[in-house]
């Protein structure tokens, strides 16, 4: 009597076929779960970017509204020839933070990183205190940075501030 595989009442699936089927299903499940994880991480990153953008736009508007400081510097103490501008920094840090669940944006993560001065041709780092120069320094390029606590999200925006 000769048996033929796959026919008759006792026909079944071999062990090798079962292992291959389980392996294919396992790989498919891993790919789906990995895709979901990537989607969650990307969504979190985009939420932080949106929050950071909202904060930085508000911070720049607050800096624009702050009183003009001649030869301002965001550093304390200010470098020689410059005046510390705590009003710019305080204005930037006083903005409302998003109330959405997620990261808490602290004051230390909202900073004025740089102030440059218009000399008639370009924005530079030199500020003149006197009126002897042909072009009065009445424009400042103020750069504000917002950095999320985990360091993955950073937003930078500059604004030109004019002397009233």
């Amino acid at each position: 009597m000769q048996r033929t595989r796959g026919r008759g009442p006792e026909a079944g699936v071999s062990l090798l076929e079962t292992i291959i089927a389980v392996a294919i299903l396992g790989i498919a499940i891993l790919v789906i779960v990995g895709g979901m994880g990537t989607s969650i991480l990307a969504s979190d990153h985009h939420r932080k970017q949106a929050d950071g953008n909202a904060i930085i736009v508000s911070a720049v508007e607050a800096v624009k509204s702050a009183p003009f400081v001649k030869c301002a510097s965001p550093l304390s103490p200010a470098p020689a020839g410059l005046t510390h501008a705590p009003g710019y920094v305080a204005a930037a840090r006083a903005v409302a933070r998003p109330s959405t669940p997620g990261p808490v944006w602290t004051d230390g993560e909202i900073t004025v990183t740089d102030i440059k001065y218009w000399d008639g041709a370009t924005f530079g780092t030199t500020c003149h205190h006197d009126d002897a120069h042909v072009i009065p320094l009445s424009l400042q390029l103020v750069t504000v940075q917002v950095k999320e606590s985990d360091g993955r999200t950073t937003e930078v925006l500059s604004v030109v501030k004019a002397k009233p």
Side-chain angles (χ1 to χ4, degrees), residues 12-59:
V13 179
S14 71
L15 179 61
L16 181 61
E17 290 170 330
T18 305
I19 290 173
I20 290 172
V22 169
I24 290 172
L25 287 173
I27 291 170
I29 289 171
L30 283 175
V31 168
I32 291 170
V33 170
M36 290 173 60
T38 300
S39 174
I40 290 168
L41 290 174
S43 177
D44 177 58
H45 182 66
H46 290 146
R47 174 79 258 159
K48 289 177 182 178
Q49 281 183 323
D51 288 349
N53 189 41
I55 292 170
I56 199 158
V57 169
S58 297

Side-chain angles (χ1 to χ4, degrees), residues 7 64 82 141 143 150:
R7 292 194 180 129
K64 281 175 38 180
L82 300 179
L141 181 67
T143 303
D150 67 7

